[in-house]
Amino acid sequence: MVKFLPLKQAVAENLSNGDTVAFEGFTHLIPTAAAHEAIRQGFRDLTLIRMTPDLIYDQMIGMGMAKKIVFSYVGNPGVGLLRRARDAIENGFPRLIEIEEHSHAGMANAYEAGAAGLPCAVFRGYRGAGLADVNPNIRSVTCPFTGEVLAAVPSIRPDVTFIHAQKADKKGNVLVEGIIGIQKEAVLAAKRAVVTVEEVVDNFDDLHPNLTVLPNWTIAAISVVPGGSHPSYANGYYERDNAAYLEWDEIAADRDRFQAWIQKNVIESSGDDFAGRVEHLRKAA
């Protein structure tokens, strides 16, 4: 049964050292608050899965939390590199990490296969690309009906998935609006799922029945964290903080400056300041 918990407790009860974990959200609804709580609690040896690692994985990698990343794009969207990830991959700082790179289509199909309880995903993909030469988990199968050669990748089935969403109702059902990305499949594929939300409402009775609603039986814990996806945006609540993404490029470029930023903005933070950040962003607009 889903529990409504403070974020600190929700993360502590559902994430463990050595877990395979997904923090998903595509373009918006990135679960920043949950990632920061994981950093505060100092988890180690994680396999981090995410279609676009973004700032949160740059921060987690920079803190030495990852032993492996599974991804389909490593970059600071609209800006450039993820510098802490690059330092780890190229220089082994603060630790060497294993990488498994896919296409977006490969990752999406792998999540869908995991959600369906299948061992692998089979699809048309990777044709004319060199990823299969460097990723042994990209293989091929021959269709027994047509003889067509298709790509195959292992399904993604995390120990735990974290997502951010707009609303939960009092029964623990979760509403996701806007760009859905792969959040739904990432939750269904996981053994456990933790959702941070902007707010809790009585029910979803006045909403269109075809909106994306994750039923409460798919979720282990819900934490109310207004602003919990900042600096990404939450459709209908606040816009993307583009300045923060630009600033991150400079912060992450220097090891000492990165450590100082994490210490001030994550380690020493109570984790309750996300709403304040968003309110500041609204006033600035």
Side-chain angles (χ1 to χ4, degrees), residues 253-269:
D254 182 85
R255 293 175 181 177
D256 292 337
R257 186 175 178 186
F258 163 76
Q259 288 288 343
W261 189 94
I262 290 288
Q263 185 65 33
K264 177 181 178 181
N265 295 281
V266 180
I267 304 299
E268 296 175 0
S269 169

Side-chain angles (χ1 to χ4, degrees), residues 50 73 81 84 123 129 138 206 216 220 225 230 234 238 263 265:
R50 181 171 161 76
Y73 167 78
L81 304 173
R84 292 299 89 222
F123 60 103
I138 299 172
D206 59 340
N216 54 23
V225 187
H230 178 268
Y238 45 89
Q263 185 65 33
N265 295 281

Side-chain angles (χ1 to χ4, degrees), residues 201-239:
V201 298
D202 289 336
N203 55 62
F204 297 147
D205 292 348
D206 59 340
L207 299 177
H208 194 283
N210 286 339
L211 289 172
T212 300
V213 176
L214 290 164
N216 54 23
W217 55 266
T218 66
I219 299 162
I222 294 172
S223 299
V224 181
V225 187
S229 70
H230 178 268
S232 77
Y233 73 97
N235 185 60
Y237 287 80
Y238 45 89
E239 296 181 352

